[in-house]
């Protein structure tokens, strides 16, 4: 039709191919025939066929490239690397492009980019691929990193890994804090790195957290709720009982301030922790920070973990993703009764572990890293053993803010929180 209309510029600008997920048996069959032509007939990497257990795994995703005629001219697959529960470790492979479609068309590069995007969407934490040595340069240019050389079918290959956005984000959240705060040494001796701080000469614990300004601006009720949630969690992580809150609130007008205060008040009442006072300012950009006070004579440090200690996760798996924050913020608190919320806040105080830290915006992985760093040691995370809600991928659950979750470390055999 475009040709009949004389619209040759639109024809020339059309992409030479499109990428889509293989959804039917005919498309999968065409992709497998292409693989056979490339890896068996052309390259001789396999004797009779290149099929394996990933082809029969229902979790496997196949992406194909089609030309203008609809013919499959390229494809790639990606799937969980291990059997059993999906732990967020995926592999890509069987990247094939029809011989007459190779060259300047960029089909192979586009398929790799599409696989990268799909892996991120699936909540993947580690994405790897075994690629032919001749393709290493292309993968490197696309952001992949070499891990080690391997051999497949007698031919040299390279195991490569794609750094995921999630881990990069977790590193960026907290990595700068050590050098920045070195001179202040917040928390005092024995409590450096804790989210709460003992007040010298008393049994008072203080914690202060600010809410991300963009969230305060666009979702004020939830920002108000979270300002209480994150602070009472910080107090509870030190084995203290929260006793009061102070807020510092700014808003462009009274209506916005009222919405922030409505969320803050709802959380204050739900947790049974009163707002003692604070500061409110109007006519300025929206912002919100809260200080929480608690009491204990025996605060639990974040730096008490030692080599050989057992790390435990205590988390509330109830609830669901917060609307508009899917994959990043799990709401396990707004539906809970006060007695349930208070019981969770008392878990660390009841168990008295050697070390504790509440899982914050750094996610489970990032918070475990901080817990280990504070204790001057490393930590091993058995991803397959981490319980998670049915509606959360491993990647999302290990890197999100989970509402209520505590990491504790103590000697093997000690009672759990």
């Amino acid at each position: 039709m475009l040709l009949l209309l004389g619209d040759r510029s639109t024809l020339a600008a059309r992409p030479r191919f499109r990428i889509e997920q293989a959804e039917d048996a005919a498309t999968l069959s065409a992709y497998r025939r292409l693989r056979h032509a490339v890896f068996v007939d052309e390259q001789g990497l396999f004797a009779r066929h290149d099929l394996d257990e990933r082809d029969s795994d229902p979790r496997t995703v196949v992406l194909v490239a089609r030309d203008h005629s609809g013919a499959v001219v390229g494809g790639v697959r990606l799937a969980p690397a291990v059997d059993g529960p999906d732990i967020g470790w995926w592999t890509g492979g069987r990247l094939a492009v029809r011989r007459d479609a190779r060259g300047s068309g960029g089909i192979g590069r586009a398929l790799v980019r599409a696989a990268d995007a799909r892996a991120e969407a699936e909540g993947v934490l580690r994405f790897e691929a075994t690629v032919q040595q001749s393709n290493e340069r292309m993968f490197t240019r696309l952001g992949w990193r070499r891990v080690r050389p391997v051999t497949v079918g007698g031919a040299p290959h390279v195991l490569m890994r794609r750094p995921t956005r999630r881990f990069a984000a977790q590193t960026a959240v907290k990595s700068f804090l050590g050098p920045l705060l070195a001179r202040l040494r917040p928390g005092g001796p024995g409590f450096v790195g804790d989210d709460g701080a003992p007040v010298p000469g008393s049994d008072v614990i203080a914690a202060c957290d600010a809410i991300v300004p963009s969230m305060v601006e666009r979702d004020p009720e939830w920002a108000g709720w979270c300002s209480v949630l994150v602070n009472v969690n910080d107090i509870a992580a030190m084995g203290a009982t929260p006793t009061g809150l102070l807020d510092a609130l700014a808003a462009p007008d009274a209506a916005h301030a009222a919405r922030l205060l409505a969320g803050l008040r709802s959380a204050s009442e739900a947790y049974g922790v009163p707002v003692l006072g604070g500061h409110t300012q109007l006519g300025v950009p929206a912002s919100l920070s809260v200080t929480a006070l608690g009491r204990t004579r025996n605060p639990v440090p974040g730096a008490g973990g030692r080599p050989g200690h057992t790390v435990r996760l205590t988390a509330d798996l109830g609830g669901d993703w917060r609307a508009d924050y899917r994959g990043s913020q799990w709401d396990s608190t707004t539906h809970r009764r006060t007695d349930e919320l208070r019981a969770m806040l008392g878990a660390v105080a009841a168990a008295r572990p050697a070390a504790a830290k509440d899982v914050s915006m750094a996610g489970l992985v990032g918070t475990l890293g901080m817990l280990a760093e504070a204790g001057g040691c490393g930590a091993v995370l058995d991803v397959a053993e981490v319980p998670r809600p049915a509606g959360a991928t491993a990647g999302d659950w290990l890197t999100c803010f989970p509402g209520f979750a505590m990491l504790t470390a103590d000697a093997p055999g000690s009672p759990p929180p």
Side-chain angles (χ1 to χ4, degrees):
M1 181 64 71
L2 291 171
L3 188 61
L4 290 173
L5 292 172
D7 192 354
R8 298 182 180 276
S9 60
T10 301
L11 278 171
R14 281 194 307 170
R16 295 178 56 190
F17 59 88
R18 70 178 187 274
I19 294 177
E20 61 187 43
Q21 182 171 336
E23 299 284 7
D24 56 74
T27 303
L28 285 173
S29 180
Y31 166 62
R32 290 173 183 173
R33 286 197 302 271
L34 172 60
R35 279 170 35 184
H36 191 282
V38 172
F39 299 126
V40 180
D41 299 336
E42 179 185 340
Q43 299 180 358
L45 289 175
F46 304 94
R48 299 177 60 185
H49 63 79
D50 72 326
L51 301 176
D52 62 17
E53 67 278 2
R54 294 288 165 253
D55 290 304
S56 58
D57 189 336
R59 302 172 298 175
T60 296
V61 176
V62 172
L63 304 176
V64 298
R66 293 185 186 274
D67 63 12
H68 291 162
S69 70
V72 173
V73 294
V76 67
R77 72 178 188 191
L78 59 158
V82 296
D83 296 332
D86 179 6
I87 60 173
W89 176 17
W90 280 45
T91 59
R94 298 299 195 268
L95 172 65
V97 178
R98 202 173 69 189
R99 178 179 285 183
D100 62 356
R102 298 172 198 164
S104 60
I107 294 175
R109 292 190 297 274
L111 284 167
V112 174
R113 291 193 184 100
D116 290 348
R118 183 55 181 267
E120 291 281 4
E122 293 288 342
V124 172
L125 292 170
R126 173 184 286 185
F127 190 34
E128 296 176 334
T130 300
V131 308
Q132 295 186 33
Q133 199 171 60
S134 59
N135 289 329
E136 180 181 356
R137 187 176 181 183
M138 178 185 75
F139 274 77
T140 300
R141 287 178 173 177
L142 293 174
W144 289 64
R145 296 176 183 172
R146 178 187 178 96
V147 178
R148 63 178 180 272
V150 294
T151 301
V152 177
H157 284 64
V158 180
L159 177 63
M160 304 198 73
R161 183 175 298 152
R162 171 72 180 180
T164 62
R165 171 182 52 83
R166 295 169 186 274
F167 278 146
Q170 301 312 312
T171 301
V173 168
K174 301 290 185 178
S175 60
F176 64 90
L177 290 180
L180 186 65
L181 302 176
R183 292 188 177 183
L184 288 177
R185 295 191 62 80
F191 294 95
V192 175
D194 284 282
D195 293 321
V199 177
S202 74
D203 64 352
V204 176
I205 304 294
C208 181
D209 241 321
I211 303 301
V212 177
S214 59
M215 185 170 142
V216 178
E217 183 68 39
R218 70 185 179 91
D219 199 351
E221 287 87 358
W222 179 236
W225 180 280
C226 288
S227 70
V228 175
L229 163 66
V230 296
N231 277 285
V232 296
N233 281 353
D234 287 343
I235 293 292
M238 299 197 72
T241 301
T243 55
L245 305 163
L246 301 167
D247 70 276
L249 180 153
D253 51 47
H256 198 96
R259 295 177 65 188
L260 285 167
L261 289 169
L264 192 153
R265 182 177 63 253
S266 294
S268 167
E269 293 172 352
Y271 280 95
V273 183
V275 177
L276 305 175
H279 175 79
T280 302
Q281 186 175 0
L282 301 181
V284 294
S287 65
L288 177 63
S289 62
V290 166
T291 296
L293 303 174
R295 302 187 71 175
T296 180
R297 295 193 176 278
N298 298 294
V300 175
R306 295 293 180 265
H309 278 185
T310 298
V311 177
R312 291 190 175 95
L313 171 67
T314 303
D316 183 2
L317 304 186
D320 204 345
W321 293 115
R322 178 72 180 180
D324 298 326
Y325 298 93
R326 185 171 188 84
S328 63
Q329 294 188 32
W330 184 263
D331 179 11
S332 63
T333 57
T334 57
H335 67 288
R336 292 294 187 190
R337 302 188 311 269
T338 297
D339 61 321
E340 294 174 324
L341 295 171
R342 297 291 295 195
M344 287 187 282
L345 291 181
V348 173
R352 310 302 312 174
K357 201 165 186 64
D358 70 297
V359 179
S360 63
M361 292 302 291
L364 174 59
V365 173
T367 303
L368 179 59
M370 291 188 286
L371 185 75
E373 182 183 29
C377 56
V380 176
L381 176 62
D382 188 342
V383 177
E385 291 297 318
V386 176
R388 67 175 189 266
T393 67
D396 288 341
W397 186 244
L398 293 174
T399 57
C400 76
F401 177 71
F404 176 84
M406 293 283 173
L407 280 171
T408 58
D410 211 345
S414 58

